[in-house]
Amino acid sequence: MSVARSKFAKRAVAAPAALLTVGLVLTACGSKAGDGSEPSAGASGASCVDTSGDTIKVGSLNSLSGTMAISEVTVRDSIALAVEEINSDGGVLGKQIEIVAEDGASEPTVFAEKAEKLISSDCVAAVFGGWTSSSRKAMLPVFEDRNSLLYYPVQYEGLESSSNIFYTGATTNQQIVPALDFLKEQGVKSLYLVGSDYVFPQTANRIIKAYADANGIEIKGEDYTPLGSTDFSTIVNKVRTAGADAVFNTLNGDSNVAFFREYTNAGLNAKDMPVVSVSIAEEEVVGIGAQNIEGQLTAWNYYQTVDSPENTSFVEAYKAEYGQNKPTSDPMEAAYASVYLWKNTVEKADSFAVEDIQQAADGVSFAAPEGTVTINGDNHHITKTARIGEIRGDGLIYTVWESDGPVDPDPYLESYDWAASLSGN
């Protein structure tokens, strides 16, 4: 459930068998997490999490089919990797983690249905997954009504918080605002906005336009296209003739493949009209083709090329399990970190109960591949290092700018005067 403004201000409206055991059979629910007394999930908010045995169930809910599968299958894999590592190290409070994996099928209504199943029928202690903001918003009331926990691993548009969601991807001041600051410092005076037609791009572009208005940046055009769109000839032609200094891209999923191929076919390139993207990571670069996107910019918090011992270990472990040609990416890393943050919070609370985890969460940290991340107990977001990257011919992304250290989350942009009109919507 949502709580008072002082804490949660408001709401905006299958893994490999070698890694884990996937619970596919709906089992009878046992004792309630934390007190061993509640056998049923029939009432709203009641828990049927079984803590009586040697295992504890968690859910993995990602798009394994549909337009978002290009991005989400690897997120599922990184969740599985974290679970395998934790199980190999003794589990959580002495229990082995059992994953129940579900396919959100790139449809928000399916995400909500599968979330309900995982909570009420599979009796999981927490769910890891989701990508699009539409999927998250569809799931949010399910987790609040059932008083369960979702760990959401993808950057998003901000202007939201819930006591039942931990947001381990970037919020706006950790990704979009740093990207705009970077472009401004590079002398960009005008932008063209291109995005998928759903919550994240529309809200992100409202924020971008507010920033632009306050910083003397002209918006030359703004276009949206449905998720999964593959015809970008008209939009790219409008971009080409608009004369903007740069493009801000909030397309998601495999639409990026068609957009950048058309962009290249139209003779546009990073030198003449750079594109900064906030949903293209290393695995999407493979699908697009490095030759079609070389030199273009991305704004994230993690790249495979981050130089740290923790990242070296993460990349080696992931490639050893899934193939040396498989890159790692920001959402994968945030999902991987989210499992460890859940584990560390459970161990701090000495409990799997939702209320105990919520109360223990503040200050819980993990030495993640991107750098140390820490949970803010007031808004359930985490600190993250902001990074701007350049896509190069080898298909990898290299940091060209980064923040001095982890950036505290500000999901409602309360520290920015130009955003005052946004947080009320």
Side-chain angles (χ1 to χ4, degrees), residues 112 256 310 359:
N256 278 300
E310 292 82 6
Q359 292 172 13

Side-chain angles (χ1 to χ4, degrees), residues 204-331:
N205 284 341
R206 283 176 47 225
I207 293 168
I208 291 168
K209 287 183 287 185
Y211 177 101
D213 185 61
N215 287 275
I217 296 174
E218 181 183 0
I219 303 300
K220 292 281 194 177
E222 181 178 2
D223 276 297
Y224 298 95
T225 186
L227 275 170
S229 292
T230 58
D231 184 359
F232 283 90
S233 55
T234 299
I235 289 177
V236 168
N237 186 59
K238 291 168 70 175
V239 170
R240 184 177 59 82
T241 58
D245 292 336
V247 176
F248 207 105
N249 170 32
T250 53
L251 293 170
N252 257 276
D254 52 13
S255 291
N256 278 300
V257 177
F259 172 73
F260 276 101
R261 289 180 178 175
E262 184 65 31
Y263 204 80
T264 300
N265 290 339
L268 298 172
N269 55 57
K271 181 179 179 181
D272 297 332
M273 191 181 291
V275 180
V276 59
S277 301
V278 291
S279 295
I280 288 179
E282 287 83 347
E283 67 264 34
E284 285 85 10
V285 172
V286 173
I288 294 166
Q291 73 278 7
N292 294 313
I293 201 170
E294 184 174 0
Q296 302 290 10
L297 300 173
T298 65
W300 287 106
N301 309 99
Y302 166 86
Y303 303 116
Q304 180 177 299
T305 54
V306 167
D307 184 12
S308 72
E310 292 82 6
N311 187 43
T312 297
S313 297
F314 172 60
V315 172
E316 288 178 352
Y318 186 85
K319 289 180 176 290
E321 189 61 49
Y322 296 105
Q324 293 300 312
N325 64 331
K326 300 291 186 179
T328 57
S329 69
D330 184 287

Side-chain angles (χ1 to χ4, degrees), residues 154-233:
V154 184
Q155 50 77 22
Y156 84 114
E157 70 281 358
L159 307 183
E160 179 182 295
S161 59
S162 170
S163 58
N164 295 93
I165 299 180
F166 286 94
Y167 305 76
T168 64
T171 189
T172 318
N173 75 303
Q174 299 166 320
Q175 186 197 32
I176 289 176
V177 173
L180 292 168
D181 287 342
F182 178 82
L183 290 174
K184 181 182 175 183
E185 291 170 3
Q186 298 301 307
V188 168
K189 300 292 186 183
S190 60
L191 289 171
Y192 200 105
L193 310 181
V194 177
S196 298
D197 192 10
Y198 75 102
V199 176
F200 165 63
Q202 292 166 350
T203 306
N205 284 341
R206 283 176 47 225
I207 293 168
I208 291 168
K209 287 183 287 185
Y211 177 101
D213 185 61
N215 287 275
I217 296 174
E218 181 183 0
I219 303 300
K220 292 281 194 177
E222 181 178 2
D223 276 297
Y224 298 95
T225 186
L227 275 170
S229 292
T230 58
D231 184 359
F232 283 90
S233 55

